[in-house]
Each structure stands twice: as structure tokens, then as C-alpha cells.
Amino acid sequence: MTMTNTEADQILSADFAPWVRDLGLSVEAVGEDRAVLRLPWSDRLAREGGGLSGQALMAAADTATVIAVSAARGGFVPMTTVQQSTSFQRAVTGSDVLIEAVLTKLGRRMAFADITLSDASSGALAARASTVYALMG
């Protein structure tokens, strides 16, 4: 059974810290091995020079991975980040960001994902990330 966007949005509102919810992330799509989230532009998340903060982008990539794992497992299970690596390629200014997390391996105790973060207006790649998660349940 495929998770719906509404079910994935419920995970965002129920299973994340208030500061993550404050990012305003929403689920654009979920599939058996992926999730696409939208990070809306906010001046509050911009840093000097007007570019979206790298910390906000990394939190969005981390969150998208949780939603992708949850979609693949059929619901939220406790998990924790073991490793995250992010390479920033260009600044995002004045535009939402689309974050696509694709699971490359989902085991019983570990999950691995590749994430792309793109400027929603232009489609230009802003950053790439990879994550490793330990599944606790």
C-alpha cells in the first residue's frame, strides 16, 4: 500500500521537532522508494547576501529522507541520522526549493539515500546530499 501525501504530511506534523515544522516543509509526492518535499522561500531562512541558509537545506534533506523511509516502510518508525554529507552548488534566492530523497538501499536496520535540492523556479540544482540512517523499530 502506497503512502499518500496526506499521510506523509501527518508524519511531518506529528514526528518532528517544532523548529523543523517551522521550516514550512510540505510533501509534494511520495513513492515506494522516494519522497519530494517543498521548502518554501522565507526571508527568515536567508543569510547574508540573500541566499537560503545551508542549515535549512540540510535540515530539509534530512527530513525528506525520513519521509522516504517512512513511505517505503508503510509508516513512521523511529530512526536516527548516522551520516549526512551535503555539497552546495549554487545559492537559492527568492525561490522555493524542491527536495527529492531517493532510497538507494533499505535494509532491516539501515537505510541509505541520495538527495537532490533544486530551485523550484528554475529547476537548477542547488545541492546534493547523501544520508545514512539507523532504523530503530
Side-chain angles (χ1 to χ4, degrees):
M1 179 170 158
T2 303
M3 180 178 285
T4 66
N5 289 9
T6 301
E7 291 168 326
D9 271 325
Q10 179 60 34
I11 291 169
L12 280 175
S13 65
D15 296 302
F16 286 91
W19 70 268
V20 175
R21 292 192 303 266
D22 287 347
L23 293 173
L25 292 162
S26 61
V27 177
E28 294 280 309
V30 289
E32 291 182 14
D33 68 344
R34 69 192 58 231
V36 179
L37 275 58
R38 178 179 292 268
L39 174 63
W41 171 261
S42 169
D43 288 333
R44 288 183 60 230
L45 300 177
R47 57 185 313 266
E48 184 178 320
L52 195 60
S53 164
Q55 293 95 331
L57 291 170
M58 291 176 71
D62 194 63
T63 304
T65 302
V66 173
I67 300 300
V69 171
S70 297
R73 302 265 325 244
F76 179 80
V77 296
M79 61 187 93
T80 188
T81 310
V82 173
Q83 182 272 334
Q84 180 174 348
S85 176
T86 307
S87 298
F88 300 98
Q89 298 185 6
R90 69 177 38 86
V92 175
T93 57
S95 177
D96 292 358
V97 176
L98 293 176
I99 305 100
E100 183 174 22
V102 178
L103 300 178
T104 58
K105 182 178 181 184
L106 178 62
R108 289 184 308 121
R109 296 284 177 215
M110 301 292 286
F112 300 79
D114 288 333
I115 303 98
T116 56
L117 299 96
S118 302
D119 182 309
S121 297
S122 69
L125 184 64
R128 290 187 182 276
S130 64
T131 56
V132 180
Y133 270 76
L135 309 177
M136 318 286 267

